[in-house]
Amino acid sequence: MRKNMLFIYNPRAGKAQIRSNLLDIIDIFVKADFEVTAYPTQQPGDAVKAVRERRDGYDIVVCSGGDGTLDEVVTGMMQCNEKLPIGYVPAGSTNDFANSLGIPRSMIRAADVVVNGRNFGCDIGAFNNDSFIYVAAFGIFTDVSYATKQDLKNVLGHTAYLLEGVKRLSSIKSYWLKIYYDDICLEDEYLFGMITNSDSVGGFRGITGDNVELNDGLFEVTLVKKPLNPIELNDIIAALVDKRHHSDAIQSFKTSKLVIESHQEVAWTLDGEYGGDHKRAVVENRKEALEIRVPL
């Protein structure tokens, strides 16, 4: 029986590589007995609207683009009463979540996963009235992965990510926060925080911690306090580079829900996109809220 697919793609993602692969991708879908409706996004928010308004009558929604495109599709789906499976053909520059799911970098192989893979019940993050799929973050390192030059990443790897952030220490402000989770309250001055459901952020694996599961109902949380002196700063950098090194300025834990409060507005990013300024953020894990197509 023929099935219906809504295929949303960002023609500008990454190096616009979708343009040279589009016909082959659609051919794979059609050969698998899908009737495909293709929707190229034109501006931010298009994918959210496309999922929310064009969903009826489809059996699956597939997207191609970077993590931002996937984030929009997830956000749109979370606003729908009926949740459809989501396929993902990565075409961005980092593709953190695709890496965590084991989805191939090759767009053709990723399209094959959509039609021949399996559904995976994946946790989704709720952030106030918004959604995210793999990371909500604030502070100094928030946009480092997108600001660091690729050549520097290629040579120095993970260290380049940290060096780019360290260069900003003198200009990035810290935030006095109260953080509530699991009957615990933390109160301190923080430079950076990330709430993740991924083993890769900014293209670097392992930065979120060990034993990461994408369907366990728990976030991995990393908080970095403001260093008091250069020695403490060195400890922070060493601990982020090498998990065997410990720093009292880094707090890491797992939780299904946390509340973060500040007297001043804090700028957040959700899946690498601007998530607004908030004095209070309620972040909850929606366990296995959506099904994502992954390799067998």
Side-chain angles (χ1 to χ4, degrees), residues 4 56 66 79 105 118 150 189 247 261 291:
N4 295 313
D56 292 342
Q79 295 173 5
R105 289 182 176 273
R118 63 182 176 88
Q150 188 61 49
E189 193 170 5
S247 169
E261 296 180 345
E291 292 186 329

Side-chain angles (χ1 to χ4, degrees), residues 6-50:
L6 175 58
F7 178 44
I8 300 168
Y9 65 94
N10 181 352
R12 295 165 297 279
K15 297 180 180 179
Q17 57 183 313
I18 183 67
R19 296 178 183 178
S20 58
N21 291 277
L22 183 59
L23 294 180
D24 290 333
I25 291 170
I26 292 178
D27 186 58
I28 290 172
F29 295 155
V30 171
K31 281 187 168 76
D33 210 24
F34 281 99
E35 184 171 319
V36 181
T37 300
Y39 184 93
T41 60
Q42 304 299 310
Q43 59 187 359
D46 272 2
V48 176
K49 184 178 179 181

Side-chain angles (χ1 to χ4, degrees), residues 20 28 53 66 78 103 110 119 126 144 150 173 194 196 198 204 219 229 234 238 253 273 277:
S20 58
I28 290 172
E53 297 183 359
M78 290 298 289
I103 296 174
N119 288 346
V144 165
Q150 188 61 49
K173 63 181 179 180
M194 65 178 178
T196 63
S198 172
F204 299 94
F219 294 121
N229 52 60
N234 288 336
F253 55 89
E273 304 295 329
D277 299 334

Side-chain angles (χ1 to χ4, degrees), residues 33-286:
D33 210 24
F34 281 99
E35 184 171 319
V36 181
T37 300
Y39 184 93
T41 60
Q42 304 299 310
Q43 59 187 359
D46 272 2
V48 176
K49 184 178 179 181
V51 173
R52 192 175 58 227
E53 297 183 359
R54 298 167 183 256
R55 182 182 55 87
D56 292 342
Y58 294 103
D59 299 289
I60 187 172
V61 173
V62 180
C63 65
S64 183
D67 290 327
T69 303
L70 177 62
D71 174 81
E72 287 198 10
V73 168
V74 166
T75 297
M77 193 65 73
M78 290 298 289
Q79 295 173 5
C80 298
N81 292 327
E82 182 185 359
K83 308 295 191 292
L84 300 179
I86 294 174
Y88 184 33
V89 179
S93 55
T94 53
N95 303 316
D96 283 313
F97 201 64
N99 294 335
S100 297
L101 290 171
I103 296 174
R105 289 182 176 273
S106 162
M107 298 183 74
I108 301 303
R109 291 174 57 204
D112 185 72
V113 167
V114 171
V115 299
N116 293 312
R118 63 182 176 88
N119 288 346
F120 171 76
C122 186
D123 297 346
I124 302 297
F127 181 95
N128 289 348
N129 296 319
D130 211 335
S131 300
F132 66 96
I133 193 165
Y134 78 97
V135 60
F138 69 87
I140 183 172
F141 296 113
T142 300
D143 65 345
V144 165
S145 65
Y146 308 98
T148 307
K149 292 182 179 180
Q150 188 61 49
D151 289 344
L152 189 60
K153 285 184 185 179
N154 293 340
V155 173
L156 298 179
H158 189 171
T159 306
Y161 178 79
L162 300 171
L163 290 175
E164 183 67 28
V166 169
K167 287 193 302 184
R168 306 178 183 196
L169 275 175
S170 61
S171 61
I172 297 297
K173 63 181 179 180
S174 56
Y175 303 92
W176 189 267
L177 303 176
K178 287 186 177 180
I179 300 170
Y180 304 89
Y181 74 98
D182 300 343
D183 297 324
I184 296 172
C185 177
L186 304 175
E187 186 171 5
D188 216 313
E189 193 170 5
Y190 294 93
L191 283 178
F192 167 72
M194 65 178 178
I195 303 156
T196 63
N197 187 45
S198 172
D199 61 10
S200 174
V201 172
F204 299 94
R205 287 187 176 275
I207 195 172
T208 60
D210 300 322
N211 304 315
V212 175
E213 299 289 342
L214 307 186
N215 62 347
D216 61 359
L218 297 173
F219 294 121
E220 284 70 37
V221 181
T222 302
L223 301 168
V224 178
K225 295 190 287 187
K226 182 180 179 179
L228 300 178
N229 52 60
I231 294 176
E232 193 167 87
L233 173 58
N234 288 336
D235 285 341
I236 291 172
I237 296 172
L240 288 172
V241 171
D242 185 351
K243 292 295 182 182
R244 294 171 297 181
H245 189 92
H246 174 73
S247 169
D248 291 334
I250 299 178
Q251 298 169 322
S252 300
F253 55 89
K254 293 176 182 278
T255 187
S256 60
K257 179 180 178 179
L258 66 163
V259 178
I260 301 177
E261 296 180 345
S262 172
H263 291 299
Q264 58 180 315
E265 290 192 330
V266 178
W268 286 81
T269 64
L270 305 179
D271 296 334
E273 304 295 329
Y274 177 61
D277 299 334
H278 305 272
K279 289 184 178 180
R280 188 172 192 267
V282 180
V283 190
E284 298 184 74
N285 188 298
R286 306 297 192 203

